[in-house]
Amino acid sequence: MDLSKRKFKEDFKKMLTEVYSMGLKESEATEQFFTLGNLIRSYVAKNWSRTNQAYIEKGKKQVYYFSMEFLLGRMLKSNLLNLGILETVRDGLSDLGIDLEALVQIEPDPGLGNGGLGRLAACFIDSMATSEIPAHGNGIRYKYGLFKQKFVNGYQVELPENWLQNGNVWETRKMHAAVTVRFYGHVWLEHSGKGYLVPHYEDAQEVLAVPYDSAVIGFNNEIVNTLRLWSAEVPPQDESTDYWSFIHQRNEIESISEVLYPDDSNYEGRLLRLKQEYFFVSAGVQSIIRHYKKMHLGIEHLAEKVAIHINDTHPALCIPELMRILLDEEHMDWEHAWHLTINTMSYTNHTIMTEAMEKWPIEMIQTLLPRIVQIICEIDRRYVMEMGRLFDTDLIQSTRIVEGGHVRMAHMAIIGSHSINGVAQLHTNILKEKVLHPFYLIYPSKFNNKTNGITQRRWLMLANEPLRHLIDRKIGNEWATMPTELKMLKAFREDKRTLQELAEVKRQNKVRFARFVEESMGLEINPEAIFDVQIKRLHAYKRQLLNLLHILSLYFKLKEHPEADLHPRVFIFGAKAAPSYTYAKQIIKLINSVAELINHDPDIHDKLKLVFVENYGVSLAERIIPAADVSEQISLASKEASGTSNMKLMLNGAVTLATLDGANVEIREHVGEDNIVLFGLRTDEVYHYYKDGTYHAHDYYEKNQVLHRVLNALIDGTIPGAEAEGYAIFDSLVRYGDEYFVLRDFDDYAAAQERIDRLYRDSLIWQKMALINIASAGIFSSDYTVQQYASQIWDVSSKVHRI
Ligand code: 26W
């Protein structure tokens, strides 16, 4: 948008008086932040309603991205950047004596997600608006986001994250768009005499779903899409309601949108979680149908105008819910309704971990959603009947929805959609060939891959301004919307000056991060050291332990040979563990104890440091990633569906140290063998071990001296304060079979780390690798990912920039 600095300053002062009746001098950062937020809202308002108007007038097909999680991060700078007024506002504020960065800190970081899946949804909505895709997010407005992590004595402690405490400037409550969601009770069907059945409900509990809309601003294109998050409230009561039963009901109902489930490793079979899933699905689908019907196109054309995307299985109840509306409210017959539903729905799978696969007990659904259960059972019955004619019984039994008294959500999502995609090439192949192979036999054409991506606007333009300016000076700024233009940087691969400038940018970022670590943790780290980063949820398959065992081996090496020629390293971890995931919490405690040991050992000086940042999340990622030299992507091959921190780190010039897992495989393809450091078992080798059962972790403990020493340290008192955890972890590796092949990959990993050490010593070689990584990262922009979803899955228009 066009905005002069003068106009901005006027607007800002005026808004400050209007909202707070305050002059500049009396105001503090909090008022200034809310003033700026309100001003941005006023700037956006016109384009927001224009965008919606245009979608309706042009009869554009709309996409609704259903996700239980949207891990947005702070929105202030992102909104300013996308409006094209970041610099104007920064300068204008500075004229007024206000530091924009100070206002940024006022905004709470809304942690409405656990990790990769939620952050992907956030990158997608940014990219969809920028790519001019008529697409909107649909989710839950949790009152409490992902818990705040504190370390007490090295242990993770969880505190509530009350992000709404001071209000959320970006949202608008849309009372007129509220809908009712029904739970519990009994339902019976009656013939209408007109060819359809009419459901009668008795004793149902009604919940009012109130939407809160936030603007999703496209980058410099005047498009404003919508993120709609639902909040659960008590419906208006009549006078006969008993006061105490009202209070009781209120608590029960409001608990639905109270808190985000903090677990992305184990599916929680709790009633409240199922309520959450149905709550936002039903509210979202009802609201879509209501909006669609305003266009008077006839319900039979729904799939031409609406696409619903299911982000993992959490919103899979979209399928029976749409069926319910088509059957019970639109009086369609089953075949037509089913056809429409399939054509409307598409589904992304994000994990092959069986523990994370949702299975809901049929009785639980029966109690909570009596009409939905009828529909699910009928979908299943017809699937068995129709497919039974074409395929053998075993295949149908292994793929049906209802089995062993449970509803298998992934099965429902596949059967009820026209598309199922994995999130990286390797992951999609594993789905087709292993995990979902029976479905692949039945529906080969439904399967497709859409490799994940990240938005370069947040993860480079905003998070790493020094690098952004360097790139702009070298190749211009078209990469903001045409990210593969970054490849033009390759022309500078032999240009010493550019490589030195790149090194200088990294150094600056490291100094800045070091200052942050010193101020927040009181720990001094040396910016000359290699900053080696592993930031992601704590999970056994991601193998933070492999990293830690290697750190211990370096520590012992330095103790025994203080003269050992190691380039100084700072190992940086950021990770939250699911509160109920005991093993992950034990690993956190162990890492913290090892940090205590190493960081305070005078023999070690600054050759080795271990930093475990508290409360890792989007805002911390934005600080850490620009300062990273090495990106640790060391999951056991086949286990990480894609990974996205690998892409963010690469985009910021870190060199990837990786197994051939998830999107690392594609990163290697794009940077070439020389610009990535690989190690470890390959997927087929892992599957071989599973098949022939020949992995014996204990042998590695017995035969590998370094490992023996390191593992013994876990149980011989070397690491003070973590005795119990040391034992538990030792046992998991040595006695109970080492599920994720940590010991098997240890030597290879250590050798890869030595290669990193050698490569880093030659600054030009290292910077050249960094440059190639940045230059090759454009393909991993979520702009391209969503453009492919748009054309290949949703069949909607988008502004496609050639790759
Ligand atoms: C039901 C509990 C639960 C909650 C969340 C199970 C599983 C999940 C997610 C599917 C886990 C997740 O975030 N998966 C990650 O998705 C990213 C985006 O596609 C991928 O990059 C990661 O590899 C994958 O682990």
Side-chain angles (χ1 to χ4, degrees):
M1 66 176 281
D2 276 334
L3 179 70
S4 71
K5 190 164 79 168
R6 216 187 51 168
K7 172 81 166 44
F8 165 72
K9 288 193 279 184
E10 267 169 30
D11 291 350
F12 183 82
K13 286 188 278 190
K14 190 160 159 247
M15 186 69 82
L16 192 59
T17 0
E18 272 172 16
V19 179
Y20 290 102
S21 318
M22 262 185 186
L24 208 50
K25 291 214 185 74
E26 305 93 85
S27 69
E28 291 188 16
T30 306
E31 288 94 38
Q32 294 162 359
F33 165 74
F34 280 97
T35 299
L36 185 54
N38 279 309
L39 193 55
I40 291 171
R41 290 178 56 127
S42 75
Y43 290 156
V44 164
K46 209 182 266 164
N47 282 336
W48 198 358
S49 65
R50 265 196 207 141
T51 302
N52 283 321
Q53 205 80 50
Y55 288 159
I56 293 174
E57 279 164 16
K58 294 183 189 153
K60 291 243 184 185
K61 182 171 182 182
Q62 309 279 300
V63 178
Y64 299 92
Y65 194 86
F66 278 62
S67 178
M68 198 87 176
E69 308 188 355
F70 286 90
L71 193 47
L72 299 171
R74 291 175 170 143
M75 293 310 296
L76 178 58
K77 281 215 269 182
S78 167
N79 284 341
L80 291 170
L81 177 78
N82 288 5
L83 285 172
I85 59 173
L86 178 59
E87 296 314 321
T88 311
V89 166
R90 199 197 309 260
D91 287 357
L93 286 175
S94 152
D95 287 359
L96 302 175
I98 299 169
D99 176 13
L100 174 64
E101 293 307 316
L103 304 197
V104 166
Q105 299 305 318
I106 302 291
E107 182 177 354
D109 178 343
L112 309 188
N114 274 284
L117 164 132
R119 182 54 231 174
L120 187 75
C123 282
F124 276 13
I125 57 175
D126 178 80
S127 285
M128 292 189 296
T130 298
S131 303
E132 307 190 9
I133 299 170
H136 314 284
N138 190 76
I140 299 176
R141 180 179 178 269
Y142 300 105
K143 188 164 167 204
Y144 295 93
L146 186 63
F147 63 84
K148 235 191 255 155
Q149 180 193 52
K150 279 236 168 286
F151 294 143
V152 176
N153 217 346
Y155 292 100
Q156 167 174 297
V157 172
E158 301 93 23
L159 301 174
E161 171 59 290
N162 190 0
W163 72 289
L164 284 170
Q165 193 149 47
N166 298 318
N168 169 13
V169 258
W170 308 120
E171 69 186 13
T172 310
R173 179 180 161 94
K174 290 276 171 72
M175 202 51 220
H176 68 274
V179 298
T180 305
V181 177
R182 231 185 263 123
F183 292 104
Y184 299 109
H186 301 280
V187 63
W188 74 90
L189 301 172
E190 201 180 51
H191 281 285
S192 65
K194 296 181 204 149
Y196 55 85
L197 298 167
V198 184
H200 291 276
Y201 295 88
E202 204 177 66
D203 301 330
Q205 177 190 53
E206 298 201 329
V207 174
L208 191 68
V210 182
Y212 287 74
D213 288 358
S214 298
V216 183
I217 305 170
F219 180 79
N220 276 347
N221 64 0
E222 313 213 323
I223 297 285
V224 183
N225 287 338
T226 302
L227 171 61
R228 173 161 282 188
L229 301 179
W230 296 94
S231 183
E233 296 185 13
V234 190
Q237 306 286 307
D238 56 40
E239 283 118 45
S240 64
T241 319
D242 169 68
Y243 179 70
W244 289 111
S245 84
F246 166 78
I247 295 293
H248 174 77
Q249 234 208 95
R250 198 187 79 148
N251 289 338
E252 189 186 323
I253 287 175
E254 290 180 355
S255 72
I256 295 172
S257 54
E258 190 95 336
V259 58
L260 166 82
Y261 272 93
D263 202 324
D264 68 346
S265 40
N266 252 301
Y267 113 88
E268 268 256 8
R270 273 203 239 211
L271 186 67
L272 181 58
R273 169 83 177 188
L274 185 63
K275 274 192 195 174
Q276 291 187 332
E277 293 185 356
Y278 184 68
F279 168 72
F280 92 105
V281 156
S282 176
V285 177
Q286 288 187 58
S287 139
I288 291 167
I289 299 292
R290 193 192 270 186
H291 181 74
Y292 173 79
K293 289 182 76 172
K294 283 190 200 147
M295 295 190 284
H296 304 290
L297 296 170
I299 196 76
E300 64 278 12
H301 297 291
L302 182 75
E304 292 154 45
K305 297 292 174 191
V306 170
I308 293 178
H309 199 83
I310 302 174
N311 196 27
D312 215 86
T313 58
H314 322 143
L317 289 169
C318 274
I319 292 162
E321 175 65 2
L322 180 57
M323 284 298 285
R324 181 188 70 78
I325 294 172
L326 296 177
L327 296 169
D328 296 355
E329 290 171 15
E330 301 301 325
H331 311 309
M332 248 187 191
D333 62 57
W334 184 278
E335 283 77 13
H336 281 109
W338 183 235
H339 184 73
L340 258 190
T341 300
I342 290 182
N343 286 333
T344 306
M345 302 289 168
S346 49
Y347 152 64
T348 299
N349 172 290
H350 292 267
T351 182
I352 65 160
M353 306 293 289
T354 39
E355 314 92 274
M357 295 283 183
E358 289 187 290
K359 280 199 237 67
W360 291 103
I362 198 114
E363 300 96 69
M364 198 189 264
I365 310 184
Q366 170 71 56
T367 311
L368 190 69
L369 310 167
R371 179 63 183 131
I372 291 297
V373 90
Q374 294 174 342
I375 294 171
I376 294 174
C377 290
E378 182 62 10
I379 295 173
D380 185 56
R381 193 188 67 80
R382 288 176 182 244
Y383 174 77
V384 173
M385 199 177 68
E386 281 157 30
M387 290 303 177
R389 294 201 211 103
L390 303 170
F391 298 95
D392 74 58
T393 322
D394 287 352
L395 190 61
I396 299 308
Q397 283 307 316
S398 72
T399 53
R400 64 181 293 182
I401 298 169
V402 182
E403 198 255 353
H406 286 80
V407 171
R408 299 187 280 195
M409 299 291 266
H411 293 206
M412 185 163 73
I414 297 168
I415 292 168
S417 322
H418 64 277
S419 168
I420 159 176
N421 73 281
V423 291
Q425 197 63 63
L426 175 72
H427 169 61
T428 301
N429 289 341
I430 293 173
L431 293 180
K432 286 190 199 172
E433 281 153 31
K434 306 269 181 206
V435 185
L436 299 175
H437 185 64
F439 281 109
Y440 184 56
L441 294 175
I442 297 172
Y443 303 120
S445 63
K446 285 192 188 187
F447 283 75
N448 65 95
N449 175 249
K450 296 286 166 283
T451 300
N452 281 166
I454 56 163
T455 164
Q456 72 276 20
R457 289 169 293 279
R458 177 176 292 267
W459 295 109
L460 205 172
M461 298 176 76
L462 291 174
N464 195 345
E465 288 196 28
L467 182 57
R468 169 195 182 186
H469 294 313
L470 174 62
I471 296 173
D472 286 354
R473 268 199 288 117
K474 300 290 167 184
I475 64 166
N477 59 10
E478 286 200 313
W479 56 276
T481 51
M482 288 193 269
T484 47
E485 289 303 289
L486 287 169
K487 66 176 181 288
M488 285 157 63
L489 286 171
K490 286 186 186 164
F492 298 90
R493 64 202 298 166
E494 305 295 342
D495 182 50
K496 260 191 170 174
R497 227 189 86 187
T498 305
L499 296 178
Q500 278 160 0
E501 287 170 323
L502 194 57
E504 176 51 28
V505 163
K506 185 61 80 179
R507 204 192 58 82
Q508 256 181 45
N509 291 335
K510 287 164 76 174
V511 168
R512 179 168 170 262
F513 181 66
R515 207 176 305 131
F516 169 77
V517 169
E518 165 113 59
E519 281 163 13
S520 58
M521 306 173 66
L523 182 68
E524 220 180 299
I525 56 176
N526 175 9
E528 300 302 319
I530 303 173
F531 282 17
D532 182 317
V533 171
Q534 188 172 17
I535 41 176
K536 45 187 86 253
R537 285 299 284 260
L538 203 315
H539 201 297
Y541 83 80
K542 295 179 189 279
R543 301 200 296 189
Q544 279 93 352
L545 254 187
L546 179 57
N547 191 344
L548 186 70
L549 295 185
H550 172 252
I551 294 170
L552 277 171
S553 76
L554 291 182
Y555 174 68
F556 294 134
K557 186 168 172 177
L558 283 170
K559 290 293 272 187
E560 276 156 35
H561 309 281
E563 73 296 344
D565 186 24
L566 280 183
H567 192 93
R569 282 259 193 155
V570 178
F571 289 94
I572 298 157
F573 289 87
K576 285 179 181 174
S580 61
Y581 191 172
T582 311
Y583 187 57
K585 288 180 135 178
Q586 290 169 330
I587 294 172
I588 287 184
K589 167 63 180 164
L590 189 66
I591 298 175
N592 277 324
S593 297
V594 172
E596 275 296 300
L597 174 70
I598 295 179
N599 295 342
H600 298 117
D601 188 329
D603 297 346
I604 298 300
H605 290 299
D606 61 358
K607 282 235 150 179
L608 212 54
K609 281 268 149 67
L610 203 175
V611 180
F612 196 156
V613 297
E614 217 169 44
N615 200 33
Y616 175 66
V618 173
S619 291
L620 268 171
E622 289 166 356
R623 283 182 185 275
I624 299 168
I625 290 170
D629 295 308
V630 177
S631 161
E632 299 263 1
Q633 306 300 335
I634 60 178
S635 53
L636 175 65
S638 79
K639 294 290 179 272
E640 190 68 271
S642 161
T644 43
S645 77
N646 45 1
M647 300 169 183
K648 293 162 200 163
L649 285 154
M650 162 195 198
L651 180 66
N652 282 272
V655 171
T656 312
L657 168 52
T659 50
L660 280 178
D661 199 13
N664 304 345
V665 177
E666 288 149 82
I667 291 179
R668 174 186 64 166
E669 270 165 35
H670 287 94
V671 300
E673 207 76 50
D674 292 346
N675 297 296
I676 186 168
V677 178
L678 295 170
F679 76 97
L681 287 172
R682 313 282 142 124
T683 295
D684 55 333
E685 295 171 315
V686 172
Y687 278 101
H688 264 119
Y689 272 124
Y690 289 152
K691 215 171 120 196
D692 62 17
T694 52
Y695 177 51
H696 302 296
H698 196 269
D699 295 350
Y700 289 81
Y701 169 63
E702 291 298 343
K703 292 182 186 141
N704 181 323
Q705 284 186 13
V706 176
L707 258 183
H708 197 84
R709 170 82 209 268
V710 166
L711 289 165
N712 280 349
L714 305 183
I715 53 173
D716 67 7
T718 309
I719 306 165
E723 286 74 18
E725 292 74 21
Y727 267 103
I729 291 164
F730 178 93
D731 283 351
S732 76
L733 297 173
V734 179
R735 294 180 56 194
Y736 304 132
D738 180 18
E739 194 181 350
Y740 297 105
F741 298 84
V742 172
L743 306 190
R744 170 65 179 77
D745 274 348
F746 179 84
D747 264 354
D748 207 11
Y749 177 66
Q753 283 286 21
E754 276 180 32
R755 292 206 289 287
I756 293 272
D757 179 282
R758 276 200 304 278
L759 289 164
Y760 191 84
R761 286 159 196 253
D762 187 328
S763 172
L764 284 184
I765 290 188
W766 187 266
Q767 293 308 327
K768 187 170 144 188
M769 292 175 75
L771 181 113
I772 301 283
N773 270 276
I774 300 165
S776 313
I779 193 73
F780 299 108
S781 165
S782 45
D783 293 357
Y784 297 125
T785 313
V786 299
Q787 287 163 24
Q788 281 165 16
Y789 276 85
S791 66
Q792 297 166 18
I793 299 180
W794 303 326
D795 192 27
V796 294
S797 61
S798 70
K799 184 164 176 185
V800 179
H801 293 291
R802 281 274 134 245
I803 297 181

